[in-house]
C-alpha cells in the first residue's frame, strides 16, 4: 500500500510495539502530528512543557519498563532541547529513539528558519544517528534505529527527517519487528578459569552495575551471589538488583558508598565486576582500586575492558548469558569468616543521628519508605538528595530507582517521574528532589496536572546548592561562591498555580502528617521539606583518593 512518510512513521512505531511517545509539536513535524491525530487510538502522545522534559520522560519510561522510550521534537531549538536528555540516556545505556523533524531537503545547508545540523550535534551522544533524505528509506531506517537502540549495549538513536520526506508518498510493506539476537560467544575455557578464581577465593566480592538491569539478569546474579556466598555491593545504577535487606547486600560502593563496601573491595582477593564500567565515582583511584584482588570483569562492551581499571580476566558478552553459564561452574561456598570481618568494619561506618527538632535526610527517606507500597517507583534529580536516596531507600526492584548516573543531570527527575507514571499508572511514583535541581525543570508540573498524574514530589529544601556547597566546605575553605541562591520560591503557591497541591514540613512529625494527606490526593503534590543547609552526604571519599582517605563524620559538627 502507498503511504506518506508521516503515516509510515506511525505504522513503524506500532509495528515496534510502541504505544506511548513523548514530544512537542512544531512546524517541521506538523505532518507527523497530523498522522498522530489519525492514529490517536493506537499511539498515546504525552505533550510536555519542554522538549527536555519529553526526553527525560522517554528515558524514565524506558528505565521503568525496559522498553524503548520514544521522543519526538521539531527542528532547530526543538531538536537541540533534546540534547541533554539524549546524553543522559547515552551515559546510562538507556534504549531510546529520538525522532526530529528538519527543514525540507532543498533548504538543508542554507541556514533556513529553525534549521540545525542535529545529527552532527548528537553524533558523540548517540549509538548511531540517521538523516533520512528519501522516503523510501524511512521505514527501514526507523526499524534499524529500534534494533540498534536495543542491541548489545543499549542506548539512544536519533532519526532526523526533513519535512518534505514526511509528506512524500511511497510503497509501504508491513513487517514484524526484528528479533534481537544475543551474539555472545561463550568460551567455556575462559568461563571455567573465572569460576576457578571465584572458587579458590577467600575474600571474594561481587560488584553489580547497571548492565545487570539492562540485561534483565537480576535473578541470575542473585543466584550467583547466594551460591558463591560472596558479599555484594552495587553502583548507583544497580540499586535494587538485590533487596535492601538481603544478607549479602552490603550496599552502595564508591564516593558515597559505605565504609564497609569500599573496605571490602580494598581487601578482596577476587573481585567479580558484573555490568559495570569502573567509573570515576566508583574507582576513584584506579591504581589502588581492588589492588589486592584478581579482577574479573563481565561486560557486553569490549571497549570497557581495561579502560578504567586493568583486569585479570574478562568475559565479554551479554551479562545474562555469561552469568547463566558461570553458574554451572561456581561451587556452593560459605564465607562466614570473611563476612564476620566485614560486619566488624560496619562499626567504623557513618551512622547518622536522628532528630525530632528538624528533618534529617535519612529519617525523611525512611519515612517515605515506611508509607508507600513495596512496588513504589522512586525517581531522583541529582545532588545530595540523590545520594541520600541511594543510601537509605529500601530498594527491592531493579527498575524502581530511576536516576541520572553517568551524566548527573540536574532537572532529570520530574520528566522521568512522568514517564514512569505514564507507564505504570497503578503504581505509586515518588519524585525526590532538591531545591537546586527542582528549579531547573519544575515547569513539567503542568504536564503532570494536564494528564492527572498524582506524582508526589518531596523537595529536600536546604535553600543552597547542597552538593557543591559541601565540597566548598570541605575543600575550598568555606568560600561559598554562588551556592546560596537566596531564592524566595513558595513551592506551595507555585504548585497550586499549576493546578496541583502543596504542603510544607519543618519536622519529621509534620512530614508524616502531610505525607498521609498527599497519599490520598488525586493530583500532583509537592511537599516542601526544610532541611538544614549544613547536612552532609557521608561517607565521602574525595576524588582521586582511596578508602584510607574516607570521611565518615561531619567535621563541622
Amino acid at each position: 500500500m502507498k503511504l506518506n512518510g508521516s503515516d509510515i512513521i506511525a505504522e513503524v512505531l506500532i509495528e515496534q510495539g510502541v504505544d506511548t511517545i513523548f514530544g512537542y509539536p512544531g512546524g517541521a513535524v506538523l505532518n507527523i502530528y497530523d498522522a498522530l491525530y489519525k492514529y490517536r487510538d493506537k499511539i498515546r502522545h504525552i505533550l510536555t512543557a519542554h522538549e527536555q522534559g519529553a526526553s527525560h520522560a522517554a528515558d524514565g519510561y524506558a528505565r521503568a519498563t525496559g522498553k524503548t522510550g520514544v521522543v519526538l521534537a521539531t527542528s532547530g531549538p526543538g531538536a537541540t532541547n533534546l540534547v541533554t536528555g539524549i546524553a543522559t540516556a547515552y551515559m546510562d545505556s538507556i534504549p531510546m529513539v529520538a525522532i526530529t523533524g528538519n527543514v525540507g531537503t532543498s533548504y538543508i545547508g542554507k541556514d533556513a528558519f529553525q534549521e540545525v545540523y542535529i545529527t552532527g550535534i548528537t553524533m558523540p551522544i548517540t549509538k548511531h544517528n540517521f538523516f533520512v533524505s528519501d522516503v523510501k528509506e524511512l521505514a527501514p531506517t526507523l526499524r534499524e534505529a529500534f534494533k540498534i537502540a536495543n542491541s548489545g549495549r543499549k542506548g539512544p538513536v536519533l532519526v532526523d527527517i526533513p519535512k518534505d520526506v514526511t509528506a512524500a508518498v511511497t510503497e509501504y510493506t508491513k513487517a514484524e519487528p526484528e528479533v534481537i539476537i544475543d551474539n555472545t560467544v561463550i568460551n567455556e575455557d575462559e568461563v571455567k578459569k573465572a569460576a576457578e578464581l571465584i572458587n579458590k577465593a577467600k575474600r571474594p566480592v561481587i560488584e553489580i552495575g547497571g548492565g545487570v538491569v539492562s540485561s534483565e539478569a537480576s535473578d541470575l546474579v542473585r543466584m550467583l551471589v547466594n551460591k558463591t556466598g560472596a558479599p555484594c555491593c552495587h553502583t548507583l545504577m544497580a540499586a535494587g538488583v538485590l533487596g535492601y535487606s538481603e544478607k549479602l547486600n552490603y550496599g552502595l560502593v564508591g564516593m558515597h558508598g559505605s565504609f564497609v563496601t569500599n573496605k571490602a573491595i580494598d581487601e578482596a582477593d577476587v573481585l567479580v565486576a558484573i555490568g559495570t564500567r569502573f567509573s570515576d565515582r566508583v574507582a576513584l583511584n584506579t591504581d589502588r582500586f581492588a589492588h589486592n584482588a584478581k579482577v574479573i570483569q563481565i561486560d557486553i562492551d569490549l571497549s570497557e575492558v581495561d579502560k578504567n581499571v586493568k583486569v585479570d580476566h574478562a568475559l565479554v558478552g551479554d551479562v545474562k548469558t555469561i552469568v547463566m553459564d558461570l553458574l554451572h561452574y561456581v561451587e556452593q561456598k560459605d564465607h562466614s569468616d570473611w563476612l564476620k570481618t566485614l560486619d566488624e568494619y560496619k562499626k567504623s561506618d557513618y551512622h547518622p543521628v536522628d532528630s525530632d527538632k528538624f528533618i534529617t535526610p535519612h529519617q525523611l527517606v525512611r519515612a517515605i519508605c515506611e508509607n508507600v507500597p513495596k512496588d513504589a517507583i522512586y525517581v531522583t534529580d541529582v545532588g545530595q538528595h540523590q545520594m541520600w536516596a541511594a543510601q537509605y531507600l529500601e530498594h527491592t526492584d531493579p527498575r524502581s530507582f530511576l536516576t541520572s548516573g553517568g551524566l548527573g543531570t540536574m532537572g532529570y527527575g520530574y520528566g522521568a517521574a512522568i514517564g514512569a507514571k505514564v507507564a505504570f499508572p497503578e503504581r505509586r511514583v515518588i519524585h525526590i528532589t532538591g531545591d537546586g535541581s527542582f528549579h531547573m525543570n519544575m515547569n513539567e508540573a503542568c504536564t503532570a496536572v494536564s494528564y492527572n498524574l498524582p506524582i508526589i514530589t518531596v523537595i529536600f529544601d536546604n535553600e543552597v546548592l547542597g552538593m557543591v556547597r559541601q565540597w566548598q566546605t570541605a575543600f575550598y575553605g568555606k568560600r561559598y561562591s554562588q551556592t546560596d541562591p537566596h531564592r524566595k520560591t513558595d513551592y506551595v503557591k507555585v504548585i497550586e498555580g499549576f493546578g496541583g497541591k502543596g504542603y510544607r514540613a519543618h519536622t519529621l512529625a509534620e512530614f508524616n502528617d502531610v505525607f498521609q494527606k498527599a497519599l490520598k490526593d488525586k493530583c500532583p503534590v509537592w511537599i516542601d521539606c526544610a532541611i538544614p543547609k549544613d547536612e552532609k552526604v557521608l561517607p565521602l571519599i574525595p576524588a582521586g583518593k582511596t578508602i584510607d582517605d574516607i570521611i565518615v563524620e561531619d567535621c563541622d559538627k
Side-chain angles (χ1 to χ4, degrees), residues 179-197:
V179 177
I180 304 298
I181 298 173
D182 175 16
N183 292 318
T184 300
V185 177
I186 295 290
N187 184 320
E188 294 295 340
D189 290 338
E190 293 301 308
V191 173
K192 288 177 182 178
K193 287 178 184 177
E196 186 178 2
L197 286 173

Side-chain angles (χ1 to χ4, degrees), residues 333-404:
K333 291 286 185 178
D334 174 65
H335 292 287
S336 53
D337 290 342
W338 175 221
L339 298 180
K340 286 178 183 177
T341 299
L342 296 183
D343 288 340
E344 282 296 310
Y345 287 144
K346 285 183 179 180
K347 297 176 182 178
S348 300
D349 230 318
Y350 171 67
H351 300 286
V353 179
D354 293 352
S355 173
D356 57 4
K357 296 179 180 178
F358 53 83
I359 299 175
T360 63
H362 70 281
Q363 286 177 285
L364 180 53
V365 173
R366 285 173 178 162
I368 295 170
C369 291
E370 289 169 0
N371 288 283
V372 298
K374 292 296 183 183
D375 70 345
I377 299 173
Y378 301 98
V379 188
T380 82
D381 277 289
V382 171
Q384 286 181 312
H385 68 275
Q386 177 191 31
M387 294 297 105
W388 287 321
Q391 290 172 332
Y392 302 119
L393 279 175
E394 297 179 3
H395 310 289
T396 58
D397 184 274
R399 292 195 180 276
S400 64
F401 181 64
L402 315 184
T403 194
S404 170

Side-chain angles (χ1 to χ4, degrees), residues 13 26 28 33 35 39 63 76 121 168 170 209 214 248 253 300 305 320 328 340 370 416 472 520 524 529 554:
L13 291 177
Y33 273 88
Y39 287 83
R63 293 186 200 231
I121 291 169
T170 191
S214 295
L248 293 173
V253 68
I300 200 166
V305 176
K320 190 172 185 177
H328 295 302
K340 286 178 183 177
E370 289 169 0
Q472 289 174 336
K520 296 174 184 177
C529 302
D554 188 346

Side-chain angles (χ1 to χ4, degrees), residues 19-25 33 36 39-40 42-48 54 70-73 451:
D19 57 16
T20 304
I21 68 172
F22 305 84
Y24 202 99
Y33 273 88
L36 289 174
Y39 287 83
R40 63 189 182 278
K42 296 180 180 179
I43 300 174
R44 185 185 186 190
H45 181 282
I46 304 297
L47 174 65
T48 56
V70 180
V71 63
L72 171 62
Y451 292 95

Side-chain angles (χ1 to χ4, degrees), residues 3-211:
L3 296 177
N4 66 34
S6 299
D7 287 344
I8 288 172
I9 293 169
E11 288 285 348
V12 173
L13 291 177
I14 294 167
E15 169 194 301
Q16 296 294 322
V18 176
D19 57 16
T20 304
I21 68 172
F22 305 84
Y24 202 99
V29 287
L30 277 177
N31 295 329
I32 301 174
Y33 273 88
D34 194 48
L36 289 174
Y37 183 84
K38 289 190 291 183
Y39 287 83
R40 63 189 182 278
D41 60 329
K42 296 180 180 179
I43 300 174
R44 185 185 186 190
H45 181 282
I46 304 297
L47 174 65
T48 56
H50 189 281
E51 290 92 353
Q52 184 178 336
S55 64
H56 292 325
D59 175 300
Y61 181 93
R63 293 186 200 231
T65 63
K67 300 177 182 178
T68 302
V70 180
V71 63
L72 171 62
T74 193
S75 62
T80 58
N81 282 342
L82 297 180
V83 168
T84 299
I86 293 171
T88 301
Y90 181 76
M91 289 290 283
D92 290 342
S93 303
I94 306 302
M96 177 194 293
V97 171
I99 300 171
T100 55
N102 213 327
V103 299
T105 52
S106 63
Y107 294 100
I108 294 293
K110 297 181 179 179
D111 294 330
F113 176 68
Q114 292 193 332
E115 179 194 358
V116 75
Y117 180 32
I118 193 62
T119 51
I121 291 169
T122 60
M123 191 175 293
I125 56 167
T126 53
K127 280 191 69 178
H128 195 78
N129 60 33
F130 298 92
F131 177 79
V132 183
S133 59
D134 186 341
V135 70
K136 294 176 183 177
E137 298 300 319
L138 184 53
T141 298
L142 286 168
R143 289 166 182 151
E144 185 70 9
F146 277 90
K147 178 182 177 181
I148 292 171
N150 281 282
S151 300
R153 182 176 182 173
K154 299 179 181 182
V157 177
L158 180 136
V159 182
D160 191 38
I161 311 168
K163 187 173 183 178
D164 56 323
V165 173
T166 67
V169 175
T170 191
E171 192 69 30
Y172 171 76
T173 303
K174 290 186 177 183
E176 292 296 318
E178 186 171 349
V179 177
I180 304 298
I181 298 173
D182 175 16
N183 292 318
T184 300
V185 177
I186 295 290
N187 184 320
E188 294 295 340
D189 290 338
E190 293 301 308
V191 173
K192 288 177 182 178
K193 287 178 184 177
E196 186 178 2
L197 286 173
I198 297 169
N199 293 336
K200 290 181 177 179
K202 301 298 182 184
R203 301 182 307 280
V205 173
I206 295 176
E207 179 190 331
I208 299 172

Side-chain angles (χ1 to χ4, degrees), residues 278-280 283-290 308-310 544-545:
F278 302 117
S279 80
D280 60 306
L284 294 104
N285 183 319
T286 54
D287 292 332
R288 293 279 297 170
F289 183 79
N308 295 325
V309 170
K310 296 294 181 183
K545 301 296 184 179

